[in-house]
Structures are given as C-alpha cells and as structure tokens.
Amino acid sequence: MTTPDHILIVDDDIDICNLVSEFLEKNGFKVSIATDGKGLQLVMDREMIDLIVLDLMLPDEDGLVLCRNLRSRSNIPVVILSARGGEMDRIIGLEMGADDYLPKPFHPRELLARVKSVLRRSRSLPDDVSESDQNACYRFSGWTLDVPTRQLYSPNDEKIFLSGGEFALLRVFLNHPNRVLPRDQLLVFSHGREIEPFDRTIDMQVSRLRRRLLDDPKSPNLIKTVRSVGYVFAARVERGAPST
C-alpha cells in the first residue's frame, strides 16, 4: 500500500486550516496543522513532511523569513498562501525559495492542483532528461550535483539546499552546457508548462540559482544572459557515477 503524501498547513486562521485539511484528506493526503512558526518546527521535528503550505502572516514569525530559513536547510517544497497577492509579493516569495505562490482568497481545488503540481515537479525528471540521469553525478567549476540525493556541494564541500524548481533548472542546464536555451524552452523543460505573458518564473529562478552558485549577477561566469533570448550555462560539465 502506498503511503500518502504528508502535507503540513501553517496558518493562524483555524477555519482555513480545517477547510483545507478536510479537502486534502478527502483527496488522499495526510495532513498536519500548525498555527505559527514554533508549531511548524514541532511538527517537522517529529514527522516526515512532503510539502508545506505556508501562510505569510503568522503571529510569531514572518512567513517569508520562515520560508528562507526552511530553504537554507531543507529541500521540502513550499507553497505560499497570502492575502498579499500583488506581483511584487509573489516575486519576493519565489525569491525566498517558495515553489509556488497562491493569493487569498483561493478555491481549495486550485490549491489541490498547485500541491499536486509542485509534488510532481519536485520528484519527476525534466521532459528532456534521460532516465540514466537519475543516477548521475555532475561536476562543474568545483561544484558537484549528486542527482540521487538531490544534493549540491560547493567547491568547499558545503551542502547547498535547492528548491524543487532550482534543482530541475540546474539539471536542465547541466544536460545542455554551452548551449543557448530560450526562456520558454527552459520553462517547459524544468516545469512542464508553457510560458505565459509577463511570466517571470524562469528569470526569478535563474536569479536564485545564481545566488546558490555564488555567481555574481552583475558579471556571471556560470549562467550568462543572452539578451532577448534566454540563458546559457557557460561551464565545462563532467558527468559520472554518484558519490558514495
């Protein structure tokens, strides 16, 4: 029997928690609830969580800070819920490491679709990556990406945590080094969907990935911008067996 995915809902509005929890449970998920940042940590200390649905406006900690701290130590996908639904709020949320952003008010079915999409994206191969990539280890400019463990290691052997979107995007770049990749192609390869008008998802994730790789955004050496087209991963990439 397959173990259901475990979703942690973090929101101080208990009515929303109960509504979302009941809906997700009816659709096959296991659900836990926390009403603040301390509760989030308590649940994570005792449970294995597959995805976090995180409200930004919590009584004890700012949700964006929580999201950033989570990303600094974990690959668990995060879907942000917020009454602050402006474009800039969404951009900031994604830059802090969230995998998706859903403004309030929202329909539970839309949240369900986002949760399923983020979980699928965090586990699946990009459409253009071969099955053999599942057991690969990539080395470039002193960095190492171990695909089976989803771990990125810096030249100093420091472990760097990636969001699901960052991980998928880096794998696409590593499979196509020194090749110009248009934004729409990157979005299809890494997210499985076509680009929409004014969609800045790829630009934001490239910006975040550059920071993870310590790549100076003003003069990047690894991920270079090709104006009006897309990006190119300008490094020699070696592919071998995963580390043990």
Side-chain angles (χ1 to χ4, degrees):
M1 183 176 179
T2 303
T3 303
D5 288 316
H6 192 170
I7 310 300
L8 173 57
I9 303 168
V10 187
D11 197 313
D12 64 338
D13 188 327
I14 197 63
D15 290 332
I16 288 180
C17 287
N18 290 334
L19 173 68
V20 173
S21 175
E22 181 179 353
F23 187 79
L24 291 177
E25 286 175 345
K26 285 181 178 179
N27 283 273
F29 293 96
K30 178 182 177 181
V31 180
S32 293
I33 292 173
T35 57
D36 54 25
K38 292 180 180 178
L40 178 152
Q41 191 57 56
L42 287 173
V43 174
M44 291 188 64
D45 286 343
R46 67 173 188 264
E47 302 276 1
M48 293 293 294
I49 300 299
D50 295 293
L51 181 142
I52 297 172
V53 177
L54 177 65
D55 181 36
L56 289 187
M57 302 176 69
L58 297 173
D60 60 343
E61 292 188 64
D62 183 275
L64 287 174
V65 175
L66 275 175
C67 183
R68 183 183 61 196
N69 291 340
L70 280 168
R71 186 57 61 232
S72 70
R73 65 180 190 273
S74 169
N75 290 325
I76 297 175
V78 176
V79 175
I80 284 179
L81 293 180
S82 179
R84 306 198 299 249
E87 178 66 17
M88 186 54 63
D89 294 304
R90 178 175 178 271
I91 290 171
I92 292 173
L94 294 174
E95 287 182 340
M96 289 295 180
D99 293 88
D100 207 341
Y101 190 107
L102 185 61
K104 295 180 179 179
F106 62 91
H107 195 288
R109 287 191 178 279
E110 183 176 4
L111 176 60
L112 175 64
R114 301 289 185 99
V115 166
K116 287 183 175 179
S117 175
V118 169
L119 283 172
R120 184 170 59 249
R121 190 168 75 223
S122 69
R123 294 167 177 165
S124 64
L125 294 172
D127 289 344
D128 75 318
V129 176
S130 67
E131 290 294 325
S132 61
D133 175 73
Q134 294 183 77
N135 296 312
C137 181
Y138 293 96
R139 295 178 177 84
F140 59 96
S141 300
W143 293 81
T144 300
L145 179 69
D146 193 74
V147 174
T149 62
R150 298 172 59 90
Q151 295 297 341
L152 175 67
Y153 297 92
S154 75
N156 296 325
D157 206 32
E158 178 185 0
K159 186 183 292 185
I160 309 296
F161 291 98
L162 301 174
S163 70
E166 292 163 354
F167 176 70
L169 182 61
L170 180 55
R171 287 174 71 186
V172 172
F173 278 132
L174 294 176
N175 274 272
H176 301 88
N178 300 296
R179 169 181 161 188
V180 177
L181 296 172
R183 287 178 175 83
D184 56 351
Q185 190 176 31
L186 282 169
L187 193 62
V188 171
F189 282 173
S190 61
H191 289 70
R193 65 182 176 87
E194 295 182 356
I195 201 165
E196 300 173 1
F198 310 110
D199 193 331
R200 296 184 57 193
T201 301
I202 287 298
D203 295 318
M204 287 185 288
Q205 288 196 337
V206 165
S207 177
R208 284 162 45 192
L209 189 55
R210 278 172 172 160
R211 289 201 297 271
R212 301 277 190 256
L213 297 172
L214 307 178
D215 202 21
D216 185 354
K218 295 182 179 179
S219 183
N221 292 315
L222 291 175
I223 306 175
K224 297 190 176 184
T225 303
V226 181
R227 184 170 296 181
S228 302
V229 179
Y231 298 94
V232 59
F233 194 76
R236 179 184 176 187
V237 177
E238 296 179 356
R239 175 173 167 175
S243 57
T244 57

